[in-house]
């Protein structure tokens, strides 16, 4: 790399550990560095460093969310904030039986607005945001889809979604990385009369492909697909059965087939629950305006019905999701439209307020990476 004193593999190894912001600056050092940082093998190596190292993962991890009106996209280095606020960790992990839970205590933190995502379409809303392996999929108003890398400030508008050719109710989306093919896939679930169909967009081909099979399910809630264990998950109702029957389906990104995952109780109704991911496990939480609950279900062993476990938390909720952010025995939960830090036993909580944003909508995480949304 221009220095005979360094073995040829030393500089790539050092650079692969650095943050994206630094690497974007270092592209100006020399043509050889520019070529290295743009090389697909180096991009993959840089991403894998975060997957292999917890320290690097935490350095690159960002919380991402939309505001109450869906008109802005924000990011937050929550790891950095927590590292400089030991009082929060101490509060959440004290072990005094008589310590009163005080959820009214707030910790304000400033977030960064990712305004460049909306430069082309400033009047649109970001309804849904999905993350996978360093890229975001943003679904805007009127169904425009964009692949975005917030760290490199690169974005790509996807081709128009396929026309299913017949009357349908609505489309749902999911996004994930197919490790078997090394490709990113956007999956569209189309809810038709009498069932659902899938269409798949792959980054390598840059085009949509319809899967002609129609599956006997219907949707009550417009919820996006939950990425876990190589598949996208939805909680749906079966059609063509005598009694209402709900089930979780998994659309496998590798073989593009659908499998069913049995719910913990036959009485669970898809219109009253949502499926999510709690850390690395499937979960289902109650979802109903005006009704509160303080329990939810976690599937501790993927695909094994007997592993469904009921979890109780000390604060009732009407809408509860896991943000995707956790560390050690701390989790960031989303109680409807606010962020709450929680210790792992669900007994101690702390509000996390974002300055200037009293309410939030879509919340998730992404890893800063060099991955290109173009190919």
């Amino acid at each position: 790399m221009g220095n005979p004193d360094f073995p040829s593999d030393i500089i790539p190894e050092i650079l692969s550990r650095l943050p994206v912001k630094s690497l974007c600056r270092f592209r100006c050092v020399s043509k050889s560095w520019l070529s290295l940082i743009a090389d697909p093998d180096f991009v993959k190596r840089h991403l894998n460093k975060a997957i292999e190292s917890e320290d690097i993962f935490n350095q690159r991890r960002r919380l991402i969310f939309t505001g109450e009106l869906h008109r802005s996209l924000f990011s937050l280095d929550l790891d950095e904030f927590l590292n400089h606020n030991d009082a929060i960790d101490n509060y959440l992990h004290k072990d005094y039986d008589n310590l009163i839970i005080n959820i009214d205590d707030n910790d304000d933190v400033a977030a960064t607005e990712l305004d460049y995502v909306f430069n082309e379409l400033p009047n649109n809303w970001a309804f849904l945001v999905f993350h996978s392996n360093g890229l975001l999929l943003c679904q805007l108003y009127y169904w425009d889809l964009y692949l975005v890398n917030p760290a490199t400030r690169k974005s790509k508008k996807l081709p128009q979604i396929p026309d299913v050719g017949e009357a349908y109710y609505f489309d749902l989306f999911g996004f994930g990385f197919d490790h078997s093919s090394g490709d990113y896939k956007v999956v569209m679930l189309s809810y038709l009369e009498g069932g659902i169909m899938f269409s798949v967009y792959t980054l390598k081909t840059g085009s949509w492909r319809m899967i002609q099979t129609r599956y006997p399910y219907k949707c009550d809630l417009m919820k996006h697909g939950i990425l876990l264990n190589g598949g996208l998950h939805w909680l749906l109702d079966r059609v063509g059965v005598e009694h209402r029957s709900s089930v979780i389906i998994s659309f496998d990104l590798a073989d593009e087939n659908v499998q069913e995952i049995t719910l913990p109780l036959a009485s669970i109704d898809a219109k009253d629950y949502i499926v999510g991911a709690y850390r690395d496990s499937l979960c289902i939480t109650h979802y109903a305006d005006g009704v509160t609950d303080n329990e939810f279900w976690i599937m501790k062993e993927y695909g094994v019905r007997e592993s469904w476990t009921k979890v109780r938390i000390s604060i009732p909720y009407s809408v509860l999701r896991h943000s995707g952010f956790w560390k050690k025995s701390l989790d960031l939960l989303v109680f409807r439209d606010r962020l709450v830090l929680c210790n792992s036993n669900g007994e101690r909580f702390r509000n996390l307020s974002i300055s200037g944003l009293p309410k939030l909508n879509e919340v998730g995480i992404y890893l800063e990476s060099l991955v290109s949304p173009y190919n």
Side-chain angles (χ1 to χ4, degrees):
M1 301 295 298
N3 190 332
D5 296 329
F6 282 103
S8 60
D9 60 342
I10 291 297
I11 289 182
E13 175 63 22
I14 293 173
L15 294 181
S16 69
R17 298 174 179 271
L18 298 181
V20 175
K21 187 175 181 180
S22 298
L23 294 176
C24 289
R25 294 199 308 267
F26 293 165
R27 289 181 298 189
C28 302
V29 169
S30 67
K31 289 183 178 180
S32 59
W33 278 37
L34 174 62
S35 177
L36 169 65
I37 294 170
D39 184 84
D41 289 334
F42 178 80
V43 172
K44 183 177 180 180
R45 182 176 185 173
H46 181 265
L47 178 63
N48 287 339
K49 284 295 181 186
I51 298 173
E52 298 164 359
S53 168
E54 182 179 354
D55 288 339
I56 296 177
F57 176 87
N58 291 340
Q59 291 168 14
R60 299 181 190 171
R61 175 171 56 175
R62 298 291 183 270
L63 190 71
I64 193 164
F65 46 88
T66 60
E68 180 182 7
L69 299 178
H70 296 275
R71 292 187 179 274
S72 300
L73 195 61
F74 300 86
S75 74
L76 169 66
D77 188 347
L78 186 54
D79 287 284
E80 178 74 9
F81 174 77
L82 294 175
N83 289 340
H84 289 83
N85 287 270
D86 293 336
I88 298 176
D89 189 68
N90 293 337
Y91 174 85
L92 289 171
H93 296 102
K94 282 182 179 178
D95 192 24
Y96 302 145
D97 291 338
N98 61 347
L99 194 61
I100 298 175
I101 299 170
N102 187 0
I103 199 169
D104 293 326
D105 288 339
N106 293 287
D107 294 287
D108 289 334
V109 58
T112 301
E113 184 175 0
L114 305 177
D115 53 355
Y116 64 89
V117 176
F118 298 95
N119 284 343
E120 294 184 50
L121 300 166
N123 295 319
N124 277 296
W125 300 359
F127 272 100
L128 296 175
V129 180
F130 312 83
H131 163 263
S132 182
N133 273 37
L135 287 181
L136 297 178
L137 173 69
C138 296
Q139 179 186 334
L140 304 186
Y141 198 49
Y142 296 124
W143 306 112
D144 288 331
L145 298 173
Y146 278 76
L147 285 177
V148 180
N149 184 325
T152 61
R153 301 174 66 90
K154 302 293 185 182
S155 63
K156 172 187 178 180
K157 184 178 181 180
L158 270 59
Q160 185 175 352
I161 61 176
D163 183 355
V164 295
E166 55 184 290
Y168 72 101
Y169 300 106
F170 52 77
D171 297 315
L172 304 176
F173 293 92
F175 178 52
F177 183 74
D178 176 11
H179 292 273
S180 67
S181 63
D183 201 0
Y184 291 84
K185 292 184 177 181
V186 179
V187 177
M188 181 177 75
L189 182 160
S190 297
Y191 176 25
L192 313 168
E193 186 175 346
I196 62 172
M197 292 180 65
F198 291 94
S199 301
V200 179
Y201 171 90
T202 59
L203 185 57
K204 288 184 177 179
T205 64
S207 61
W208 289 94
R209 170 173 43 84
M210 291 183 62
I211 298 174
Q212 297 301 321
T213 304
R214 181 172 301 198
Y215 296 93
Y217 305 102
K218 65 176 182 178
C219 315
D220 277 308
L221 298 174
M222 294 182 65
K223 296 298 179 182
H224 61 271
I226 300 299
L227 178 63
L228 190 72
N229 203 48
L232 293 163
H233 300 77
W234 285 271
L235 179 56
L236 306 175
D237 282 322
R238 297 184 178 96
V239 297
V241 293
E242 183 176 354
H243 301 289
R244 189 180 181 107
S245 175
S246 301
V247 68
I248 296 173
I249 67 162
S250 171
F251 180 88
D252 189 271
L253 291 174
D255 60 26
E256 299 183 353
N257 285 327
V258 171
Q259 294 183 334
E260 291 190 355
I261 297 177
T262 307
L263 294 168
L265 297 174
S267 59
I268 290 177
D269 195 324
K271 67 179 173 56
D272 297 324
Y273 287 81
I274 55 175
V275 65
Y278 194 97
R279 297 198 172 198
D280 291 325
S281 299
L282 272 181
C283 73
I284 51 173
T285 58
H286 199 252
Y287 180 87
D289 286 328
V291 179
T292 60
D293 201 344
N294 61 356
E295 294 178 333
F296 60 95
W297 292 88
I298 293 178
M299 180 177 254
K300 293 192 172 181
E301 185 176 350
Y302 183 82
V304 178
R305 179 180 183 178
E306 292 74 19
S307 71
W308 281 112
T309 303
K310 185 179 289 186
V311 177
R312 183 180 179 86
I313 58 175
S314 54
I315 295 179
Y317 68 89
S318 58
V319 179
L320 177 68
R321 293 168 289 151
H322 197 288
S323 68
F325 181 98
W326 76 86
K327 56 191 306 180
K328 296 180 180 178
S329 56
L330 179 151
D331 293 86
L332 182 67
L333 305 181
V334 185
F335 281 72
R336 185 174 287 278
D337 52 19
R338 60 194 175 104
L339 300 175
V340 178
L341 290 163
C342 169
N343 66 357
S344 59
N345 58 18
E347 295 179 353
R348 300 188 62 79
F349 301 82
R350 187 88 171 189
N351 278 340
L352 184 70
S353 299
I354 308 299
S355 300
L357 294 172
K359 295 182 180 181
L360 308 178
N361 269 296
E362 296 301 318
V363 180
I365 64 164
Y366 79 96
L367 282 179
E368 291 195 336
S369 77
L370 295 167
V371 176
S372 170
Y374 300 114
N375 52 52

